[in-house]
Amino acid sequence: MTEFASFHTMNKIPGELLEERLETVKTLETSELEQYSIEKDRLTGEHYLLYAYVHRDAAPGMQEEVFHHLLPLESDDVLALVLGEQPYTYPDHWHRSFLRDGPDGCLVWFSPAGPASDEDQEFQRELLEGLAELKQKGGSEEDIRKLLDRLHRKQGD
């Protein structure tokens, strides 16, 4: 019965189910590496803002991987986005829980609520800075491993 349920009631949503149920209402922005569009669930009528981005592995062969985020939208948000009256870029304007790529080709819910402790906030800041740097320079698998190792060592201190 999950195929007729709202995505809001599901913990893990298979990518195939999203492909079957979502249809593009309006493409807001498209570039070589990013896309924003308003998507509608054919069964429930619920709307989502899709943010898709391409990660290119700097290793030989330049493997590309596409990541997806889906932000639930209220009716007013849909109208404002269609009319170009509301900012929508990720992560600056994504303050509510949203779906993002998770394990086994599924999307899972993620809450962008800030961490509680100063230590957690510092870790989050360093992680985001490291990820932004990797995104900017197209970091390799080795660069990602180095970032994670550095953050892991700091957590052990």
Side-chain angles (χ1 to χ4, degrees):
M1 199 48 76
T2 10
E3 61 193 46
F4 297 110
S6 168
F7 296 139
H8 295 273
T9 64
M10 302 166 72
N11 291 327
K12 286 173 59 174
I13 299 120
E16 300 82 28
L17 185 61
L18 288 168
E19 287 179 27
E20 289 173 20
R21 289 178 46 174
L22 292 180
E23 64 182 335
T24 302
V25 173
K26 180 175 176 71
T27 300
L28 301 172
E29 182 181 333
T30 299
S31 72
E32 183 183 341
L33 298 176
E34 296 181 317
Q35 174 190 334
Y36 289 93
S37 61
I38 299 171
E39 304 289 320
K40 180 180 178 181
D41 183 336
R42 289 182 181 99
L43 296 180
T44 65
E46 296 167 331
H47 287 84
Y48 297 86
L49 176 59
L50 169 68
Y51 169 56
Y53 65 95
V54 176
H55 170 76
R56 289 189 178 140
D57 190 349
M62 290 295 286
Q63 293 287 329
E64 286 189 351
E65 200 171 354
V66 180
F67 294 93
H68 302 89
H69 295 347
L70 284 167
L71 178 69
L73 297 172
E74 300 295 328
S75 296
D76 290 346
D77 294 325
V78 174
L79 290 173
L81 289 169
V82 167
L83 297 173
E85 297 175 354
Q86 182 172 313
Y88 53 82
T89 54
Y90 175 85
D92 299 331
H93 303 287
W94 290 50
H95 305 293
R96 300 185 310 257
S97 292
F98 60 89
L99 290 164
R100 70 177 186 181
D101 285 310
D104 306 320
C106 293
L107 274 75
V108 295
W109 288 99
F110 172 78
S111 176
S117 72
D118 289 342
E119 191 176 284
D120 285 345
Q121 287 179 357
E122 177 65 18
F123 178 79
Q124 181 182 27
R125 184 190 61 72
E126 289 182 30
L127 176 61
L128 291 174
E129 286 174 359
L131 292 173
E133 184 180 314
L134 288 173
K135 182 178 178 183
Q136 184 179 29
K137 72 176 188 178
S140 68
E141 230 178 279
E142 182 62 27
D143 292 333
I144 295 168
R145 192 174 293 112
K146 285 178 184 176
L147 170 64
L148 294 175
D149 286 345
R150 186 181 79 226
L151 292 171
H152 182 70
R153 282 193 306 274
K154 281 195 109 170
Q155 289 290 304
D157 292 346

